[in-house]
Amino acid sequence: MEKAETNFSVQKVKHLADLARIEFSEQELDELTSELNVISDAINKVQEVANDDVERTTHPFALENVFRKDAVGETLEQKSALAAAPKQKDGMFLVPQILAED
Amino acid sequence: MATEPKNYVDYETALKHFDVVFGIEVHIELSTKTKLFCSAPNAFGAEPNTLISPVSLGLPGALPVLNEKAVEYAIKLGLALNAKINKKSYFARKNYYYPDLTKNYQTSQSDEPTIGEGHLDLQISDTEMFRIDIERAHLEEDAGKNTHVGGAEGRIFGAQYSLVDYNRAGVPLIEIVTKPVFGAGENAPEIIAKYVRELRDIARTLEISDARMERGNVRADINISLSPKGSGKLGIRSETKNVNSFRSIEAAAHYEIIRHASILLEGETVTQETRHWHEATSSTTSGREKSNADDYRYFPEPNLVPVVISDEWIDQIRAEMPELPAHKRARLTKEWGFSPKDMQDVLNADALALVEMTVTHGTSAHNAKKWWLGELSRIAKEASLSLTDLAITPENVAEIQKLIDDGKVNDKIARKIITDVIAGKGTVAEIVANENLEIVSDDSALKKFVQEALAEQPDVAEKLRNGNMQPIGVIIGIVMKKSQGKADAKKVREIILAEK
């Protein structure tokens, strides 16, 4: 089993926060860092007893193959799709200039 | 580190010093009726933001449900690629921010994709095959479409704002990733294009995608790196994105090999980055650096449960698999009595399906090839259309050829009928009837024209009577004119010989 990330550093948490576009104060970063370390320690504790014969669980319910038939259903009208858009133009969402490509 | 060399070496020099290693990622848009995780229609060309549901917009609380058909299509493709179909696969979130992505993550697959390792063998000459090893193929959703406004030629740089249409958001994609490919040598660009073409053909044959390059149904990202000849070391790669014609794929790979070699020979290091292909200049330009930007923080998608594929499901799909393109090409080459070159010409013209259907409607393969690669290719090229977009069907072509075979029209009239069909002047039968195009095969009418022509040209008539057949063309020409081009020249000749 893969170990969870241990020893979150403040830098690492800041990097993750930047990737998630979330701004934190230094105090918040410190708090989050110690909380994340507690969580990862707990996860690793569980990993110690979970041998390779325990299958990974990504879902609380033991479900598989929940499928939908390939049949067209209802769609939103353009007007309602755009209803909450701060800005729109020609039936599209207008977003600010994008700086980096892909 | 350098993105552009000071001077460019030629291709031969590049190949003399370096081994080419490449990897290809191909995205194929599936032609399911609905999207991957919701029942909004999967269609092209609709009004913006009309083919969407709360799921494709990523509205809070909207939950994805997997389209069973998309999984079936993935299995089909997996079988065609001789690949391992994973018994259990999972979806994952690939996190990044971009306006065409409503949820700020793309639902994709990470370390346990539906399709595992496989391979595809490409015929690179009459006798040689080249194997491309496939690492994996995974299901994922497509993003929406950004239109950048205000910048030069719709490019992102200098744009004032962007407009987003989410009709494409959530359309099912399969991404097929190769392992690094070694040993292609100077043929690397050609092999890369051939590989993408083969995937396109397979997707069409399996009917899992419309696979139209010009609509972006098939998009290729090409990774190129060079290593010093014989060193076996992997160099630093560049990734040229979204090149969407076979010709451009080949040209982009060719360009990148030269660019890498030129930088390396100047003693510089290649920058690891994405590159953008420009059709107009046949070159690539720097995109963004890739070094640490690819921190996608994949994690399992909690709203989707595992996909479990039973042997029965696989067997059922296997039993319904159509004949694959490579097998079909070999079979048709033989059945049609084609040389490998004949077949290659047909393939290069993207005309195999058209020729095949024309043959199905009763035309000989040789004649079908002649029309599609000759007159029809010429017309298509003039109109900047692809052959399939011409307003003429293989059935029409077969009808026209039958008129020739039955001696009802000559080659010249046949061409006129083709032009008229494409111009929308009616069906083949209507055009022939309305314009009175059928060949004049009425002997008495032709006989009359021949007699008139001989009378008009007494000198020529005299020569013919004395056994000098050289000027016979003059009489044939006059008869053709009198019949408004509708006479069968062979028949006219016979009548002249009888009447002289």
Side-chain angles (χ1 to χ4, degrees), chain B residues 197 200-201 204 211 213-214 246 343-355 372-373 377 386-388:
Chain B
R197 188 191 282 268
R200 195 272 315 255
D201 289 348
R204 278 195 184 163
M213 303 292 288
E214 76 281 8
F246 301 122
M343 183 50 91
Q344 199 52 53
D345 290 345
V346 171
L347 295 172
N348 289 343
D350 239 336
L352 185 63
L354 295 167
V355 170
W372 287 107
L373 270 61
S377 284
S386 63
L387 281 176
T388 42

Side-chain angles (χ1 to χ4, degrees), chain B residues 88-117:
Chain B
K88 199 162 190 178
S89 54
Y90 298 85
F91 283 91
R93 294 184 178 184
K94 179 181 180 181
N95 297 280
Y96 64 97
Y97 286 81
Y98 205 64
D100 60 12
L101 203 60
T102 53
K103 312 186 295 300
N104 290 331
Y105 60 84
Q106 179 189 28
T107 309
S108 179
Q109 295 184 308
S110 173
D111 50 348
E112 284 159 285
T114 300
I115 306 302
E117 291 185 344

